[in-house]
Amino acid sequence: MTTKIKIHYQPKAGDTKDWNLWVWPDGMSGKVMNFTGTDSFGKVADLTVDGDWNKIGFIVRTDSWEKDGGDRFIDNIWNGQNEVWVKAGDDKVYTSPPDGEYRDIPTYNHLEVKFNYYRYDLNYNNWDLWVWTDKSDGQPVKLDKTTSFGKQGTLVLDNLNGATKVGFIVRKDDWSAKDTEGDRFITKFTADGKAEVWLAQGQKRIYDNPAKIDRSPRITKAAIDELNKITFETNFPFAFEEGKNPGIVINGAEIDKVEAAGTVTDGLTNKVVIYTKDELDLSKTYTISKEGFGQATVQMGKVIGSKSFEDRFYYDGKDLGNTYTKEKTNFRLWAPTASEAKLVTYDKWNSQTGTEIPMTRSEKGTWTAELSGDKKGLLYTYKVKIGDSWNEAVDPYVRATSVNGDKGAVVDLATTNPKNWSTKKPSFKNREDAIIYETHIRDLTIDPKSGVSSAHRGKFLGVAETGTRGPNGVKTGLDHIKDLGVTHVQFIPMYDYNTASVDETKLDQPQYNWGYDPKNYNVPEGSYSTDPYTPTVRINEMKQMIQTLHDNNLRVVMDVVYNHMFSAQESNFNKLVPGYYFRYNEDGTLSNGTGVGNDTASEHKMMRKFIVDSVIYWAKEYHIDGFRFDLMGIHDVDTMNPVRKALDNIDPSIITIGEGWDLGTALDPALKANQKNAAKMPGIAHFNDDIRDGLKGSVFDGNDKGFVNGKTGMELRIKKGVVGGINYNDQIMTFSQDPEQTVTYVEAHDNLTLWDKLAITNKSDTEEVRKQMHKLATSIVLTSQGLSFIHAGQEFMRTKGGNENSYNAGDAVNMLDWTRRSQFNAEVEYFKGLVKVRKSHPAFRMTNADDIRQHLKFIDAPANSVAYVLDGNANGDKAEKIVVAYNANRTPVEIQLPRKGKWDILVNGVKASDEALDKLNGDKVKVPALSTFVLTFHDKKAEKEDQD
């Protein structure tokens, strides 16, 4: 069975982007579907979706997940509303052309419609239809023919003068009752104006085929919504009298009362709420029955995640997963809605059957098992009985797995530590000191010219190789990063991600993915190890990598993606406790603020616990120095604050940053962990998209320009970025309460690289001009307050050939090109100089908003330029004054310096250094086109003290 829909989309005038659609049936996962044609309105998609659906959601987007609007829905498909129109920049879904009719709609002078009507109670007395057209008044149509389906009435109308539709209401002939509320319409007819439809009692849907109608009265829903409350629905209405039980029986529970939940019409309803005398045992299986409607198993409903559920079942122990010793291994699983649970052990990674060991019900919805003896290396899963079905899943808390993460493994973590494993880390004082370099394990070393040994390219151990050299002897890999002077290396996902992205059994075949589709959160990704089949190898090799980075004075940030999973239905979470770990809309559909089909429910206490426990595990076991939360705005404030607190208890120098976008997830706006609520989350930094787009133009519009590439009037946005997003004054503010809450950046793994963006916005400019724009943008990042963030290869103007979403584009697009690195040596040296300037001058890294307001003052500057002074030995800086000037013009500008005297020039738009490149004696400086100048001033007293 399929559902046909038609979507019309009108882009903005001149928009040439490759738009497509992300389409999902109500409550199900989505997939990409393409537009199939065009009409005078715009793009058209004639789509067929598997299944029989009344509601289908869609997003207009590009492959890089640039969206035009949010989630949109086609509703009432069963009533003929399967065609919609949407316009760029307008979130409304129109069921008719919004700018006036432009189609040739068929018109009819003669119409003949057969109405077939079925009542499950077989009582057709006094029921008929009230029917009209858009060219004729209403009239009754009798149901005067008996058929094998039920009753039939026929409408025949002539001389209609161009009718296009037939409207109708099924009613009692004296209007004392209607079968369903609202008018219904028929709009599809044969060429000669004929149509036949089938209708069923209590259902608003207009059927085009009687085979689609289930005429057997049955229970369609019986769901526990509170510990003593069940919502009960049927496909056809039944007789109901308030205060009386309409013949409903629950096997295993006694009913206290029954109340109507739906509309009661003529003493009939199809939805009631049942209250039980005692609280229901959620681990038991209940059946419910009603005479004439059969029997059904009671399912879990809104009780999952309710306050009473959380109070009853929150488990705060630290032993979830497996706890290993040589003498025994204990297992503890949280599965409060399971009626039975089993531990299943396996001999091999590809064993199809295992040994099932019953688990014992324990406290707070947990189940336990104990295996005596040394079980190191044992492979296992859990099986739980939910209702009438058994689900098998990998332990969410597992710390080691077999290949592809399909079975958990018992592991002695102490044996996975490399020989030189140490808790000693590179020194790091303030979070504002961070200069973060974002890369991908594979990208860094997979280039054959990287100088990394072939066995280790694209692996943890490839990152750990030192002394590697590339074309013309340039440093590569780890040596290159160390040479840049950055403080942190951020790796995009390196936990175990879904097999559909990278199959660890087929690593001899071309495969690539960024890894934003989690499978096992607490396990390293096997494709980055030299042996994904042996559970301990990936753990040991990841630790070797981290230790080597630490030994080379680099800290490690881990990109974590707790906001969604590859598939809610297929996730281990959902198999073990269905409905708990994911967020749902009021109508029971999955919340989809992530745009990939599901949002995790961090507000649920056991999901929150999992996130906090997982972060603690990585910080302690792997000595991780920072966490970057993907789509952090999906989470809630009350999860992110405990994360920060837990890390503070381990090591306050561990940084926490995240994407604080305001996403359309089913969560109270006051609770969302986004930029708007930054004040509620001290110590947590948000990526500053305002300065990102202010510098180069919107990431959602390839042609949009910013400060460095020619857009005028951007000075205020640059100033907002310079101060670290704090509330500097009434005009200059973004979201930060403190500079440690801002991540300043211009490019990341997402969207076009800065170089590729400039190639689009400034295609007529020479490469040298674009290089100056690029260097100007990077210099602003590294001379602004807050945490600095650099995308790998930004220092040599990385290109991905215009690919703005290279998550699966392969090595040719994604790898760091070491030949290009050698060709852009001057630009790399400039970048290194900027880093030295930032690190040698603490004035660029002030640690509170008051200091920024006191010591940073903006200087008058010509249009399309920004200048400021860092005054008064800011943040203990040796320089009494530092002047920074950014000139985005195509001609030089003159800046009046705050003091006349001898100034050292550290950055001149061509070179950068922590030592003077040149001297200037006076009170004015001329800043060349598309350049940054940094000048320092030391008074003689300070110089003398320095010498003493």
Side-chain angles (χ1 to χ4, degrees), residues 40-61:
S40 59
F41 181 79
K43 296 177 179 287
V44 180
D46 276 300
L47 306 177
T48 300
V49 180
D50 289 338
D52 188 21
W53 303 101
N54 191 37
K55 184 177 181 181
I56 291 177
F58 68 97
I59 296 170
V60 180
R61 42 80 89 182

Side-chain angles (χ1 to χ4, degrees), residues 71 585 591-594 599 634 662-667 672:
D71 295 0
N585 299 310
S591 179
N592 188 29
T594 60
D599 305 337
I634 289 293
D662 187 5
L663 301 164
T665 188
L667 187 65
K672 292 179 179 180

Side-chain angles (χ1 to χ4, degrees), residues 689-699 701-715 717-718 746 754 757-758 760-762 773 776-777 780 864-865 887-890 930:
D689 54 329
D690 188 73
I691 185 64
R692 176 197 70 194
D693 291 357
L695 284 169
K696 66 179 181 181
S698 171
V699 297
D701 183 350
N703 294 301
D704 186 43
K705 295 183 178 183
F707 179 72
V708 305
N709 48 345
K711 192 172 187 176
T712 60
M714 301 299 287
E715 296 89 343
R717 287 184 74 170
I718 301 307
V746 68
L754 175 57
K757 172 79 168 179
L758 295 176
I760 293 172
T761 59
N762 298 76
M773 293 175 179
L776 175 59
I780 294 171
N864 306 316
S865 62
N887 178 17
N889 292 284
R890 299 301 182 100
L930 299 172

Side-chain angles (χ1 to χ4, degrees), residues 605-665:
K605 293 175 72 173
M606 289 301 288
M607 185 67 208
R608 177 178 298 150
K609 173 180 168 60
F610 178 85
I611 293 172
V612 175
D613 287 350
S614 179
V615 168
I616 291 172
Y617 171 69
W618 284 108
K620 286 185 173 181
E621 184 62 34
Y622 287 84
H623 305 166
I624 295 291
D625 309 290
F627 295 88
R628 180 264 190 192
F629 279 76
D630 182 68
L631 298 187
M632 185 171 69
I634 289 293
H635 301 316
D636 65 310
V637 168
D638 293 332
T639 294
M640 293 310 303
N641 283 330
V643 164
R644 183 65 264 172
K645 182 179 179 181
L647 293 175
D648 283 342
N649 291 336
I650 298 169
D651 178 0
S653 73
I654 296 174
I655 63 174
T656 308
I657 65 177
E659 291 181 301
W661 319 137
D662 187 5
L663 301 164
T665 188

Side-chain angles (χ1 to χ4, degrees), residues 417-594:
N417 296 335
K419 292 180 181 179
N420 59 337
W421 193 231
S422 169
T423 57
K424 186 179 179 181
K425 297 183 174 187
S427 60
F428 182 66
K429 184 179 180 183
N430 300 315
R431 293 167 189 161
E432 293 86 350
D433 296 338
I435 305 174
I436 304 164
Y437 186 84
E438 180 198 43
T439 190
H440 179 276
I441 297 291
R442 186 176 178 91
D443 291 359
L444 188 62
T445 63
I446 199 64
D447 183 355
K449 296 180 181 179
S450 67
V452 172
S453 61
S454 58
H456 294 164
R457 286 181 203 142
K459 309 289 184 183
F460 292 129
L461 294 184
V463 180
E465 283 196 22
T466 58
T468 59
R469 297 294 181 268
N472 298 317
V474 297
K475 296 175 181 178
T476 63
L478 173 56
D479 279 20
H480 169 75
I481 299 174
K482 181 181 179 182
D483 191 45
L484 296 177
V486 299
T487 64
H488 291 69
V489 182
Q490 177 179 303
F491 293 105
I492 66 177
M494 52 182 179
Y495 53 72
D496 183 50
Y497 51 82
N498 199 275
T499 311
S501 298
V502 172
D503 187 338
E504 296 169 10
T505 68
K506 298 177 180 178
L507 296 182
D508 57 335
Q509 301 175 15
Q511 296 182 86
Y512 184 91
N513 206 279
W514 282 345
Y516 289 94
D517 45 11
K519 186 168 184 177
N520 295 295
Y521 280 111
N522 294 336
V523 180
E525 165 59 19
S527 68
Y528 299 143
S529 75
T530 59
D531 176 12
Y533 292 88
T534 304
T536 54
V537 170
R538 62 182 76 187
I539 300 173
N540 170 264
E541 291 179 351
M542 185 175 181
K543 288 180 175 180
Q544 284 189 57
M545 178 192 75
I546 292 168
Q547 186 60 53
T548 304
L549 287 164
H550 284 173
D551 292 343
N552 283 273
N553 205 36
L554 290 163
R555 288 190 162 218
V556 179
V557 177
M558 184 176 187
D559 195 335
V560 288
V561 190
Y562 298 113
N563 62 80
H564 78 280
M565 296 201 76
F566 180 76
S567 164
Q569 288 79 11
E570 297 173 16
S571 72
N572 297 324
F573 283 137
N574 203 62
K575 289 177 181 177
L576 294 169
V577 192
Y580 180 80
Y581 287 100
F582 294 89
R583 189 173 292 148
Y584 292 84
N585 299 310
E586 276 298 316
D587 62 2
T589 58
L590 282 164
S591 179
N592 188 29
T594 60

